Amino acid sequence: MPSVEELLNHKELVDYTKTRQPQKKVLEELFPARKTEALEIKMIKGANNLPVSASIHAFDTETEIDQRETTGYDVAELALIKRKRKLSEKEIIRLEQPRNSVEEREAIQRIYNDVDALQDSVLTRAEAMRGEALSTGKLSISENGYKAEIDYGIPVAHKGTFTWSGGASDILRDMDSAVEKIVNDTGFTPTRALTSKKNLNLLLRDEKIRKAVFGVNSDRLLSRQELNSFLQTQGLPQVATYDAKYRALAAKGTYTAKRYFAESAFVFMPDGDMGETLFGLTAEELELRKKEGVDISEIGNVIIEQYSTNDPVAKWIKAVATALVTFPCADQVFIATIK
């Protein structure tokens, strides 16, 4: 059987992670991944992308001078995300001295299952950053000695609290006021909204909305498709939900389930990307670029490497990346907290 070093040499790992297609995260549609060589980035805050008109001039008059807009920005350092798994002395012996071909194949598969799990764990943390940024307008990180507080600059007027769990609520009025605020302030029209199933159910069961769709004497239940068709006729955003969870591992070995996207949030957005997920350089990648047979153009966003320790003897598989979410369109969204 090949050794761990042969299975997981630098070129093999680059080739494997290049061809493997991890399941795409939902919020990557809004914050697509992009590779950068930088470790620090300028975080543009509230970039209004509406076009600026030139002026009409009489003949023989001086041309009007344009100006570069002084959009605010913060300088932020990409967050280092990493995780590793250990192959113990007994596992190493079993891997390199299998009793038969079936045991050999199973041993190899276990190694690559570890590679998959580690790569996915790094991408999961990046998705959690996207969800926090979108549902709160901020990032608050305090993990393993790294601390960061990033405010993406969503205007105070683009946040609000709506009480929808009661017969006195007027959900359509609240939605219309949020849309109108964005249109008036930025010129962009929210066409979609992201929320939780819990909040969606408040819309589906709201008596005023059901009567507006079916008439005053109907007791029919409203589906999401019917709701979105109705909202479209009212010039209101189409509603989608995101309730996926992930697990965080504590130092004492226990797991805690967490949501990517806050359950109470109802976020109104225009069309297009909201920002990017920037993946930068790591020290591991710089070392990898020095290795023979490794094409740096094929190195992905997450670096996988294998290394050994001697006392006790162990093999380690590690996944590492630097990443951060940008949100230049933050001023074009409205974040409602639903009660």
Side-chain angles (χ1 to χ4, degrees):
M1 179 179 178
S3 66
V4 177
E5 285 81 1
E6 291 171 324
L7 284 171
L8 299 178
N9 64 58
H10 301 294
K11 187 176 186 309
E12 288 291 333
L13 286 172
V14 169
D15 290 344
Y16 179 74
T17 53
K18 177 190 68 174
T19 56
R20 180 182 182 247
Q21 297 294 325
Q23 185 176 3
K24 197 165 187 178
K25 302 296 186 183
V26 170
L27 298 180
E28 195 174 345
E29 296 291 334
L30 299 175
F31 300 90
R34 181 169 69 84
K35 188 78 172 181
T36 177
E37 293 287 296
L39 187 58
E40 290 187 339
I41 56 172
K42 288 185 177 181
M43 306 272 288
I44 299 175
K45 301 176 68 173
N48 193 325
N49 296 318
L50 285 177
V52 178
S53 172
S55 300
I56 296 173
H57 293 61
F59 287 102
D60 299 321
T61 59
E62 182 181 353
T63 303
E64 180 184 53
I65 300 173
D66 191 22
Q67 69 175 12
R68 292 184 175 86
E69 294 185 74
T70 56
T71 304
Y73 66 85
D74 286 337
V75 175
E77 184 178 274
L78 273 65
L80 179 63
I81 309 171
K82 56 184 179 179
R83 186 168 290 274
K84 64 182 179 180
R85 282 190 180 182
K86 177 184 177 182
L87 298 176
S88 68
E89 293 176 325
K90 287 184 178 180
E91 289 173 310
I92 294 170
I93 294 171
R94 294 192 190 103
L95 284 169
E96 301 204 10
Q97 293 185 345
R99 290 170 295 184
N100 52 56
S101 60
V102 173
E103 195 171 84
E104 179 180 357
R105 287 195 300 271
E106 290 177 349
I108 293 173
Q109 187 59 54
R110 281 197 299 271
I111 289 177
Y112 280 98
N113 287 346
D114 284 346
V115 172
D116 295 348
L118 290 169
Q119 183 184 30
D120 288 341
S121 71
V122 172
L123 297 176
T124 292
R125 189 63 185 89
E127 177 76 346
M129 285 196 289
R130 298 183 191 110
E132 184 180 353
L134 184 62
S135 58
T136 69
K138 298 179 181 181
L139 271 183
S140 180
I141 305 172
S142 180
E143 298 173 14
N144 302 301
Y146 177 91
K147 293 186 177 182
E149 295 287 340
I150 299 173
D151 187 335
Y152 290 103
I154 294 180
V156 174
H158 292 186
K159 294 181 179 181
T161 299
F162 298 151
T163 303
W164 288 354
S165 56
S169 61
D170 193 332
I171 295 176
L172 295 179
R173 181 193 61 195
D174 290 339
M175 293 182 68
D176 190 62
S177 68
V179 169
E180 185 178 1
K181 185 62 180 173
I182 297 299
V183 172
N184 290 341
D185 289 353
T186 71
F188 289 90
T189 301
T191 58
R192 53 193 173 164
L194 188 64
T195 190
S196 63
K197 185 177 180 181
K198 178 181 178 180
N199 289 339
L200 173 65
N201 285 338
L202 293 176
L203 276 71
L204 296 178
R205 296 168 184 169
D206 184 74
E207 185 177 359
K208 293 178 182 177
I209 294 178
R210 288 194 298 106
K211 286 182 178 180
V213 176
F214 299 130
V216 294
N217 295 319
S218 177
D219 292 326
R220 285 177 56 190
L221 295 176
L222 188 64
S223 69
R224 184 168 66 179
Q225 291 75 17
E226 290 168 330
L227 171 68
N228 278 332
S229 294
F230 170 72
L231 292 176
Q232 187 173 33
T233 66
Q234 303 300 305
L236 294 173
Q238 302 289 283
V239 180
T241 59
Y242 189 33
D243 289 284
K245 294 182 179 181
Y246 65 99
R247 291 182 300 161
L249 178 62
K252 58 184 179 181
T254 58
Y255 291 94
T256 303
K258 296 186 177 183
R259 294 177 59 93
Y260 290 108
F261 185 85
E263 187 175 42
S264 62
F266 196 103
V267 181
F268 299 77
M269 297 172 283
D271 290 332
D273 297 339
M274 295 293 98
E276 294 180 316
T277 308
L278 295 179
F279 286 89
L281 290 174
T282 64
E284 289 83 357
E285 179 174 343
L286 293 177
E287 290 298 312
L288 187 59
R289 291 181 178 189
K290 302 173 185 177
K291 306 295 183 182
E292 290 186 9
V294 175
D295 183 354
I296 65 171
S297 67
E298 296 181 346
I299 297 175
N301 295 331
V302 180
I303 305 300
I304 308 290
E305 70 167 5
Q306 177 271 135
Y307 65 96
S308 303
T309 53
N310 292 326
D311 189 16
V313 173
K315 306 288 186 184
W316 297 88
I317 303 171
K318 181 172 72 172
V320 60
T322 55
L324 201 64
V325 174
T326 69
F327 199 174
C329 296
D331 66 332
Q332 299 168 24
V333 307
F334 190 101
I335 299 179
T337 300
I338 307 303
K339 293 185 176 180

